Amino acid sequence: MALLTLALVVPLATAIVTFLARGTPELQRGLSVAGAATLLGVSLVLGAEVVTGGPLAATMGGWPAPFGITLVADLLSAAMVVITGVIALAVAVYGLGEIEPAEERLGHHTLLHALLLGVTGAFLTGDLFNLYVWFEVMLIASFGLLALGGRPDQLDGAIKYVALNLVSTLAFLAGVGLLYGATGTLNMADLHGAVRELDNAAVVFTTAALLLFAFSVKSALFPLFFWLPASYHTPSVTTSAVFAALLTKVGVYALVRVFTLIYDADMPLIQELLLVGAGLTMLTGVLGAAAQNEIRRILSFHIISQIGYMVLGLALYTPLAIVGAIFYILHHIVVKANLFLVGGVVKKLTGSEDLARIGGLWAAAPWLGVLFLIPALSLAGIPPLSGFWAKLVVIKASLEAEHYLLAATALVVGLLTLFSMSKIWLEAFWKPHPEPASAPARGLDRAESWALLSPIVALATVTVVIGLVAAPFYAVSVTAAEQLLDPGAYVTAVLGARP
Amino acid sequence: MELALAVLVGVLTTCAIYLMLSGNMVRFIFALALLSNAVNLVIFAAGRLTYAAPPLIGEGAKAPADAVANALPQALILTAIVIGFGLLAFTLVLVHRAHQALGTVEADEMRLAEPAADGDEAR
């Protein structure tokens, strides 16, 4: 009980105290890192608790479920919260070396922790309307972070991001309203039973379609992804990294949660849409990336393409495929955040992200090359890094389900991902600098290298560890998938044992 | 009554979609206001419509004697109105700032974050 609330109180309290400390930047930075570290600590305790004791649930305000708002942590939620803690600490530390004092004064730290609050809330809530509220908390914080500083290109990106995301939340809200009208409950565990008892197929399908649309926009699924490549490369690198790691994954999490717990797989049209959507998402993302020439714009398109793999896992809906989707989400968050962080160091060292205008980094900073290659090769799925196992499971699941075309797409997309990563490698690291005279004179000073490089090293270590010792992470994914496909323990944790 | 609300929601949604498709961000803001009201009405109607039956419980009783209005959808709508108002205000300011910085409110002309490639300009 206390643990679940604590995971929300910590980011909320950090957001508040960093706001109060806005006059003293040193204090603000210290509080921000301390808050993120505390969040990681709490999430690890929560994770350990759920691994040993099964799903945890707590109702707020003394109202028993299904009337009160419920917080639930099954293994998927707990794992997502742990990974959120890892990313929180990584970007909080990275921000020390990257965020401009002006952005700090405008409230970067406060907005960052408000965003983490929304993300954690979305992972932990067991109530559908409450999920909508957490989505809005997350959205408004991300709007702020995205537009912070107000450079014209940021405003341009923010307009598209804001507009498309607001449309999706309205669809979400309409779906929630109709589902409530049909079942009389908003508690997700209660909806699990209530939706199965509904004999009105039209209502079930309409609400499912509205939620599918809403979460597909959030997770940047084809053809609803246009807000993402328009905006993700415009804010500070720290902001880009936390967006890339967490925001779309909240959408994928919501898809997984809603289409395992509330709806069952017995909706052929929805499943078909997800399958086709997943395939086209993988393909358009990677082809879009091939056309780009700036590091963060390439990486943004790769987020889209990778979302396809996760949704493919969900759409196949076999136990192995769900395992693959969960493993993929966990691995991807770490890898993607890290690639953006490395991109930020490249930008800092060379002064540009445009591949045509930079080069020679292998000679100037070989260590950075190694740190780039770990997440880059993992993203492409090269053994023995974490991405290999993630892709292996998803592709094996699609072969077993006899979706050969999708399996082939997944393989080809992996190859094209390698092409994109080697493009960044060749252009930024390997080729000599196009104008040696204007080559970077500036290195990183001591404090900067600590702040920028320690999160990159830490996340790269996580990637290598997941790759080399995949078994425990795989076991966690298997248990999480079992809990999703048989939500008995989840429902009992929320509603108590029922005859 | 349900029928009237359903028609109203349909009309609001249609107008909102028409305005959104124009690509003009000012019209988009109006569309957003219309659409969020349409969604609020959906929630309202989903909670069943009852005439003049406040959800009050008599003194000493544990449950209301007759059928009463459902208070929960109204609480949901209240939450949605507050959130929607905040987001609408933010969007309004954002579009205003974008107009100052970019000199346009047409979404198609905002190409700073994604500049057109050379091939696109021929079109």
Side-chain angles (χ1 to χ4, degrees):
Chain A
M1 159 94 198
L3 261 178
L4 288 166
T5 357
L6 209 57
L8 299 175
V9 169
V10 169
L12 176 64
T14 317
I16 294 172
V17 293
T18 49
F19 179 72
L20 294 176
R22 64 192 180 283
T24 35
E26 280 82 20
L27 179 62
Q28 210 186 11
R29 284 180 212 137
L31 287 170
S32 174
V33 173
T38 318
L39 179 62
L40 176 59
V42 171
S43 67
L44 284 172
V45 178
L46 178 69
E49 196 86 351
V50 173
V51 168
T52 51
L56 278 177
T59 43
M60 299 296 109
W63 291 90
F67 303 108
I69 290 174
T70 313
L71 297 179
V72 203
D74 66 347
L75 196 52
L76 175 63
S77 298
M80 296 302 281
V81 174
V82 169
I83 214 94
T84 305
V86 172
I87 298 299
L89 187 56
V91 294
V93 172
Y94 191 87
L96 302 180
E98 207 256 339
I99 294 299
E100 306 285 338
E103 288 172 309
E104 284 186 325
R105 272 198 304 281
L106 288 169
H108 169 84
H109 298 298
T110 305
L111 288 170
L112 174 67
H113 287 278
L115 179 77
L116 293 170
L117 171 67
V119 171
T120 320
F123 289 148
L124 287 180
T125 186
D127 183 285
L128 203 55
F129 189 80
N130 196 231
L131 181 64
Y132 160 77
V133 175
W134 289 123
F135 263 79
E136 298 290 20
V137 171
M138 183 177 92
L139 267 187
I140 194 75
S142 69
F143 292 168
L145 279 173
L146 193 59
L148 206 65
R151 281 197 331 275
D153 62 327
Q154 275 181 302
L155 294 171
D156 181 350
I159 288 258
K160 286 146 194 176
Y161 176 89
V162 169
L164 294 176
N165 274 291
L166 287 183
V167 174
S168 97
T169 47
L170 286 175
F172 182 14
L173 192 57
V176 171
L178 290 175
L179 202 54
Y180 171 75
T183 60
T185 181
L186 288 166
N187 184 297
M188 294 204 267
D190 204 20
L191 278 170
H192 172 70
V195 168
R196 276 159 187 73
E197 281 163 20
L198 273 184
D199 48 5
N200 189 342
V203 174
V204 176
F205 182 76
T206 311
T207 53
L210 280 167
L211 296 185
L212 175 70
F213 169 78
F215 299 146
S216 301
V217 175
K218 299 275 175 223
S219 47
L221 213 60
F222 178 88
L224 305 166
F225 59 76
F226 293 99
W227 55 272
L228 194 154
S231 58
Y232 269 29
H233 59 288
T234 56
S236 64
V237 175
T238 313
T239 304
S240 286
V242 70
F243 280 19
L246 297 175
L247 292 191
T248 45
K249 261 57 76 183
V250 177
V252 177
Y253 166 83
L255 276 177
V256 171
R257 177 66 74 205
V258 163
F259 285 100
T260 53
L261 184 60
I262 298 180
Y263 302 99
D264 47 20
D266 196 22
M267 284 186 292
L269 186 59
I270 300 269
Q271 199 187 8
E272 201 67 24
L273 274 174
L274 278 174
L275 279 172
V276 175
L280 289 172
T281 307
M282 289 191 277
L283 215 54
T284 41
V286 86
L287 292 178
Q292 303 301 321
N293 268 317
E294 277 172 47
I295 295 180
R296 273 197 285 172
R297 295 186 70 182
I298 296 177
L299 294 177
S300 299
F301 270 103
H302 277 295
I303 302 174
I304 300 169
S305 133
Q306 304 282 311
I307 292 292
Y309 286 92
M310 301 165 204
V311 175
L312 175 60
L314 171 66
L316 292 169
Y317 216 83
T318 62
L320 185 67
I322 303 276
V323 172
I326 295 169
F327 193 92
Y328 212 107
I329 297 174
L330 299 178
H331 128 81
H332 174 80
I333 291 179
V334 173
V335 163
K336 198 82 234 182
N338 205 6
L339 280 170
F340 273 84
L341 297 183
V342 173
V345 177
V346 170
K347 186 182 174 195
K348 202 119 198 165
L349 285 175
T350 60
S352 175
E353 286 182 278
D354 188 348
L355 289 177
R357 290 166 55 195
I358 61 178
L361 271 175
W362 180 244
W367 42 268
L368 189 63
V370 175
L371 288 176
F372 168 75
L373 281 180
I374 293 173
L377 294 179
S378 177
L379 189 78
I382 302 292
L385 295 159
S386 59
F388 169 70
W389 303 109
K391 281 201 170 59
L392 181 72
V393 178
V394 172
I395 292 173
K396 184 157 181 267
S398 41
L399 286 176
E400 278 179 11
E402 300 185 347
H403 283 284
Y404 299 114
L405 188 61
L406 283 166
T409 312
L411 282 171
V412 170
V413 169
L415 207 63
L416 290 170
T417 308
L418 192 60
F419 161 74
S420 264
M421 291 302 122
S422 52
K423 181 162 112 184
I424 299 182
W425 168 257
L426 287 174
E427 296 280 329
F429 289 92
W430 201 243
K431 81 162 192 241
H433 199 280
E435 302 158 50
S438 70
R442 206 176 85 84
L444 301 173
D445 66 38
R446 209 180 145 77
E448 253 181 349
S449 5
W450 265 105
L452 296 180
L453 296 179
S454 55
I456 295 179
V457 173
L459 292 182
T461 315
V462 173
T463 307
V464 173
V465 169
I466 298 182
L468 293 179
V469 202
F473 299 93
Y474 185 75
V476 165
S477 308
V478 170
T479 318
E482 279 165 3
Q483 290 179 359
L484 284 176
L485 290 170
D486 177 21
Y490 183 102
V491 174
T492 314
V494 176
L495 299 175
R498 288 210 166 163
Chain B
M1 193 62 191
E2 273 87 354
L3 187 68
L5 270 185
V7 171
L8 181 60
V9 166
V11 170
L12 286 175
T13 312
T14 315
C15 296
I17 290 176
Y18 176 76
L19 287 172
M20 279 182 182
L21 291 178
S22 77
N24 179 315
M25 288 311 294
V26 179
R27 289 186 187 181
F28 179 85
I29 292 174
F30 289 122
L32 206 60
L34 291 182
L35 195 57
S36 54
N37 282 318
V39 172
N40 289 342
L41 289 177
V42 167
I43 303 176
F44 188 53
R48 309 293 186 272
L49 305 171
T50 36
Y51 278 110
L56 298 174
I57 300 172
E59 208 176 330
K62 291 229 161 169
D66 297 316
V68 294
N70 189 348
L72 186 75
Q74 303 181 18
L76 299 184
I77 294 170
L78 206 57
T79 315
I81 288 177
V82 172
I83 293 176
F85 176 74
L87 292 175
L88 194 68
F90 178 86
T91 318
L92 200 59
V93 174
L94 182 68
V95 170
H96 177 60
R97 278 295 307 272
H99 180 242
Q100 285 179 330
L102 306 168
T104 177
V105 289
E106 295 290 335
D108 286 346
E109 289 167 18
M110 298 180 180
R111 297 303 298 265
L112 219 58
E114 293 176 291
D118 297 336
D120 286 358
E121 279 165 20
R123 279 191 282 137

